[in-house]
Amino acid sequence: RQRDSLYEQTVKTGTVSLNYFRNNARIPLLKDNILNLNTLIKEAASVEGLLYATIVDRGELIRAHTDPALIGTMLEISDTAKISRDGDISYFNFTLPDGPHVLNLFAPVTFKDVALGEVHVGISLDFIKKQIYKESVFIIILSLFIVLLGIAISILIGIGFSRPISRLVLATQEIGKGNFHYKIEMIRKDEFGDLATAFNYMTQELWKKLCLQQSFGRYISPEVLEMIMAHPEDSWLKGSRSEASILFTDVRGFTAYAETRQPEEVVEALNEYFGIATKCILEYGGYIDKFIGDAVLGIFGVPIHQADHSERAVRAAVALQRQLKTAGQYGNVLLSKIGIGINAGVVVSGNLGSQVKMEYTVIGDSVNIAARINNLAGPGEIIVSKEIYESVKQTFSMKQLPPKKIKGKSAFIEVYQVLGEKKGQVHA
């Protein structure tokens, strides 16, 4: 388009020049005034892209020319030139002996319809090509500059995006490794800044959840922990009445035992005992409510309802005494002094405490009775209430003990000693 436009502009310029010469050459050509004709022609040298201009008479004799050496010679037009016409202006293309390509425009000079001669102007076609070449080079350079500028801007934008993304990927990897203390230091007022803030908040919440899982998970079974973590706002946290079995363990003669030993030895022996008790209670689906001095309080049936919570509690107690007996063979005499008491009944379970400190626990008369029954158990014994007996008598062998009077109760209560699981019972 630029080439065609430039060609049309050049032809228009040549046509204007041609008409100018033709209109002003009539009188000098009629009078054969060579001086005026050549003065007129010299003005053509200032027009860009115009190679020559010449005026010839009727006999094709050159009377004026931009090249003075050609004045007085005959105008030669090749017989092979393809002449085209546009009104009274004719034109053809040819090549000069020294190589330039020319568009020759010519028109007759007339005076009162009498032909006096012709005016010819030569327009350089190579000039058009040179102009197009220059513009093409400029366009190419400009395009390359724009491309390089676009690449540079893309790289800068890419770096601006990739660096925060890389930091987020690194942070994700750290979180995957369990490093919940990892923080993204990214102060930006854009979406990446919001994402970094949200990510740091997420890691903080994950850390809190991990702390809850690691701490609370030491006292409850994996199933109970999974339920609690999945439903943290359920009613089990807010306090509710439930049927449960309460298991107490206690060391008989602990005060006398501790007086004759170093504190480090006592702590080591207690930790071994607590470890075995925790393992057995968790294994049968209970949770460790608390350690009370040398006593352990285990709960079955809350916060997850278990229809067989009494059986689970007795099985945990039997397994506990069995493992304590086995472990006691290696020198820890404390393990042979453990008595266990179990009761079942209604308890209130939930979060109890103050704004400063709270704990999940159970309260109720059934818990108090379980503690009193535990006081009746001698070393290595398991004593249960009538409620437990009625629930598991088909599974475990029991020996009924004389009714006992316990603190806080006016009436005697029936208690039973667990002797073991009945033969032929299959425990899944």
Side-chain angles (χ1 to χ4, degrees):
R1 288 198 302 266
Q2 194 174 25
R3 180 175 61 251
D4 294 342
S5 176
L6 187 59
Y7 179 82
E8 292 175 1
Q9 185 65 32
T10 304
V11 170
K12 185 181 294 184
T13 301
T15 302
V16 171
S17 299
L18 183 67
N19 289 328
Y20 173 77
F21 294 141
R22 184 171 63 169
N23 292 332
N24 290 279
R26 290 171 181 159
I27 302 303
L29 191 59
L30 182 64
K31 295 180 178 182
D32 197 20
N33 191 335
I34 305 301
L35 180 60
N36 286 346
L37 290 174
N38 281 279
T39 300
L40 180 64
I41 287 298
K42 284 183 180 180
E43 296 179 5
S46 62
V47 179
E48 188 177 15
L50 209 64
L51 291 179
Y52 64 83
T54 183
I55 301 175
V56 299
D57 58 17
R58 286 176 291 186
E60 300 295 325
L61 180 66
I62 297 176
R63 308 303 288 171
H65 202 290
T66 50
D67 184 2
L70 297 178
I71 298 174
T73 62
M74 297 298 295
L75 179 65
E76 296 181 0
I77 298 178
S78 174
D79 295 335
T80 60
K82 296 181 179 180
I83 299 175
S84 301
R85 286 181 172 80
D86 183 7
D88 61 345
I89 297 177
S90 304
Y91 57 92
F92 62 89
N93 294 341
F94 74 100
T95 303
L96 292 175
D98 54 352
H101 296 82
V102 182
L103 172 65
N104 187 89
L105 300 171
F106 63 97
V109 180
T110 60
F111 184 77
K112 295 183 179 181
D113 297 330
V114 177
L116 301 178
E118 292 178 338
V119 175
H120 291 253
V121 293
I123 301 173
S124 174
L125 297 177
D126 293 332
F127 166 76
I128 297 176
K129 291 182 180 179
K130 288 180 181 178
Q131 293 299 318
I132 294 298
Y133 176 77
K134 288 180 181 178
E135 294 300 322
S136 299
V137 171
F138 173 76
I139 290 173
I140 291 173
I141 293 175
L142 181 62
S143 300
L144 289 175
F145 173 77
I146 292 174
V147 169
L148 293 176
L149 180 63
I151 292 174
I153 293 175
S154 300
I155 291 174
L156 292 176
I157 294 176
I159 292 174
F161 275 93
S162 64
R163 285 182 176 176
I165 291 175
S166 299
R167 294 175 68 180
L168 286 169
V169 171
L170 177 61
T172 304
Q173 293 172 346
E174 290 294 325
I175 297 301
K177 296 176 183 177
N179 182 12
F180 295 106
H181 292 294
Y182 190 88
K183 300 292 182 183
I184 301 177
E185 301 296 335
M186 189 185 302
I187 303 175
R188 296 171 62 119
K189 295 181 179 180
D190 57 7
E191 289 78 4
F192 282 113
D194 296 339
L195 183 59
T197 301
F199 191 92
N200 290 336
Y201 176 77
M202 179 194 70
T203 58
Q204 183 179 8
E205 293 302 309
L206 287 174
W207 170 247
K208 291 179 180 178
K209 186 175 181 179
L210 179 64
C211 289
L212 174 62
Q213 185 174 356
Q214 288 180 340
S215 57
F216 203 42
R218 296 179 181 180
Y219 309 106
I220 58 178
S221 65
E223 294 81 5
V224 175
L225 177 62
E226 184 178 348
M227 186 276 295
I228 293 173
M229 300 303 292
H231 307 283
E233 298 299 330
D234 280 1
S235 59
W236 64 271
L237 273 177
K238 301 174 183 178
S240 60
R241 294 170 59 88
S242 307
E243 286 281 344
S245 292
I246 304 96
L247 181 150
F248 265 99
T249 72
D250 194 12
V251 179
R252 299 294 171 251
F254 178 74
T255 302
Y257 171 86
E259 286 179 351
T260 59
R261 288 167 175 79
Q262 295 296 323
E264 294 81 4
E265 182 182 352
V266 174
V267 170
E268 183 177 355
L270 277 175
N271 285 338
E272 185 179 4
Y273 149 54
F274 288 150
I276 296 173
T278 300
K279 177 183 176 183
C280 292
I281 292 172
L282 295 181
E283 182 179 352
Y284 287 93
Y287 85 92
I288 304 299
D289 187 276
K290 60 175 64 70
F291 297 110
I292 311 169
D294 59 319
V296 177
L297 171 58
I299 307 296
F300 296 81
V302 292
I304 294 180
H305 174 71
Q306 297 162 330
D308 59 342
H309 55 81
S310 295
E311 182 178 342
R312 289 173 178 267
V314 176
R315 289 191 182 281
V318 172
L320 174 56
Q321 290 291 24
R322 183 172 59 249
Q323 293 186 29
L324 289 173
K325 182 178 180 180
T326 301
Q329 298 175 359
Y330 299 96
N332 188 353
V333 297
L334 185 70
L335 303 182
S336 62
K337 300 177 179 294
I338 310 300
I340 302 175
I342 308 173
N343 183 36
V346 176
V347 298
V348 176
S349 60
N351 265 343
L352 299 178
S354 66
Q355 295 295 330
V356 178
K357 177 176 172 53
M358 300 189 75
E359 65 176 6
Y360 181 81
T361 187
V362 294
I363 58 174
D365 187 55
S366 298
V367 180
N368 297 332
I369 293 176
R372 303 293 183 237
I373 292 175
N374 176 243
N375 293 333
L376 303 176
E381 293 182 348
I382 303 171
I383 305 300
V384 300
S385 66
K386 183 178 180 180
E387 288 76 11
I388 295 292
Y389 170 76
E390 293 295 339
S391 297
V392 301
K393 62 183 179 180
Q394 302 298 327
T395 306
F396 293 91
S397 296
M398 303 278 190
K399 181 177 74 171
Q400 185 174 8
L401 300 177
K404 301 293 183 180
K405 183 75 170 61
I406 62 173
K407 184 178 179 181
K409 292 293 179 180
S410 58
F412 285 79
I413 64 170
E414 296 182 24
V415 291
Y416 301 80
Q417 181 180 356
V418 178
L419 301 178
E421 191 171 5
K422 290 183 177 180
K423 294 184 178 180
Q425 294 291 333
V426 179
H427 173 54

